[in-house]
Amino acid sequence: MRLFPKVEKVTLCGIALLIGAGLIFIPYCIPISGFLIGFFSNLNSSLLNKVAYTETTGLKDNSLLVKNRWGKLGSIFQQSLLFLLFISFCYFFKIPILSLLETITGKSIAPHLTDIVFVLRMTGGVILFGIAVCYLITLFFYEKGLKATQKPVE
């Protein structure tokens, strides 16, 4: 018996991922956030593999390769954007990048960088909010499409 019988597993995974991403901003919840993101991203990936495999009419194995390829490209793009964000903050505030990284990770707390880290966290929060809105809209249309075809993901 499922805890939420009317909600799809993919939707629950997405909501758990957003909660995990939101918990990153609370310093004491970072381990819980890492667990939620790691666990539910793997579960979400396997559920999406099933969807990609069953919904494809052509070469079924090719659909999984394409999905994994786009996932890896998206990951590389995200890491590049994160590094570009760090470099732009360091250039804008005229600070060494190592000082910023040490302050973010908590290895050293430079008093002159606390305002910058706050701005960086707020920028991350705004970006996370934008991603969450796009993700929830996508999940809404996904659920709406499933109800129209009556094919839930098992």
Side-chain angles (χ1 to χ4, degrees), residues 9-83:
K9 290 180 184 178
V10 174
T11 304
L12 288 176
C13 285
I15 292 170
L17 284 169
L18 291 176
I19 290 170
L23 287 176
I24 284 178
F25 294 102
I26 303 170
Y28 298 109
C29 294
I30 289 176
I32 297 168
S33 173
F35 171 77
L36 286 174
I37 290 172
F39 180 77
F40 285 105
S41 66
N42 284 333
L43 182 61
N44 196 27
S45 180
S46 69
L47 289 172
L48 291 176
N49 281 343
K50 287 179 186 177
V51 170
Y53 195 76
T54 57
E55 295 294 323
T56 302
T57 57
L59 299 170
K60 292 193 177 282
D61 293 332
N62 192 28
S63 66
L64 296 180
L65 291 173
V66 169
K67 178 198 165 287
N68 288 330
R69 177 177 167 232
W70 281 108
K72 287 180 180 24
L73 286 174
S75 177
I76 292 169
F77 182 70
Q78 179 268 335
Q79 291 173 18
S80 301
L81 282 180
L82 180 66
F83 191 68

Side-chain angles (χ1 to χ4, degrees), residues 86-101:
F86 282 155
I87 289 174
S88 63
F89 266 89
C90 290
Y91 177 77
F92 183 71
F93 291 109
K94 297 188 181 5
I95 57 170
I97 194 165
L98 288 178
S99 298
L100 180 66
L101 291 175

